Amino acid sequence: MLLLFPTATSGSEPEGLKCPNPDVLMRTTEKDKDELSQALADIIPKVYGSSPDYQEWQIEVIKPMPILTGMEENYYKMAVNFCGENVANHSWFVRLRFPRLLPAQSASLGELYIVKETNSKWIHWFQYH
């Protein structure tokens, strides 16, 4: 399992990790799902760039991290490990599929950790894929 889900116990932070300031995070609920879905149109190009391969995408999972279950609960645990429970409890997990990269399953997958700040701006703080 450690090979699938890296941990911070290795002594270094994962590349691209930008822990948000917990003092400026808004509490969100599943009712905010549509708003976050719309915000992805701005977030995805910032994270994945302008390559045509990433201009088309589909949402596979979009959930607040504290309600993740099964194997996906490990993403919540990673968030706690990386940036603390407060940040993890404010975070959303988003799994994307980039169809232009299929049939390569791993390459066509994108996973983001996202929070909403008190200025109502959605920001990604970690890109797993």
Side-chain angles (χ1 to χ4, degrees):
M1 189 56 92
L2 289 176
L3 296 175
L4 294 175
F5 299 104
T7 64
T9 58
S10 64
S12 64
E13 289 185 347
E15 185 177 328
L17 178 65
K18 296 177 279 191
C19 291
N21 178 350
D23 296 332
V24 298
L25 301 181
M26 286 183 69
R27 178 76 56 191
T28 57
T29 68
E30 287 187 275
K31 294 178 184 176
D32 298 291
K33 179 180 176 179
D34 290 339
E35 183 184 332
L36 174 54
S37 295
Q38 291 176 356
L40 290 174
D42 292 325
I43 294 170
I44 291 171
K46 290 175 185 170
V47 175
Y48 293 98
S50 60
S51 166
D53 291 337
Y54 297 105
Q55 291 179 0
E56 181 183 337
W57 43 271
Q58 301 159 345
I59 299 170
E60 289 191 352
V61 176
I62 184 168
K63 290 184 182 177
M65 283 200 170
I67 67 167
L68 293 172
T69 59
M71 288 296 293
E72 288 175 347
E73 187 178 3
N74 288 306
Y75 295 104
Y76 172 76
K77 292 176 183 177
M78 287 171 55
V80 170
N81 190 36
F82 293 154
C83 296
E85 192 171 359
N86 192 14
V87 170
N89 287 339
H90 284 84
S91 296
W92 283 69
F93 174 73
V94 178
R95 178 177 295 129
L96 305 165
R97 182 67 62 185
F98 298 98
R100 293 181 184 180
L101 294 171
L102 288 170
Q105 291 296 314
S106 181
S108 68
L109 187 68
E111 294 171 332
L112 300 174
Y113 292 39
I114 299 174
V115 292
K116 187 175 184 182
E117 295 183 332
T118 53
N119 63 5
S120 296
K121 183 178 178 183
W122 292 93
I123 60 163
H124 92 281
W125 61 269
F126 185 59
Q127 172 191 2
Y128 189 63
H129 281 107

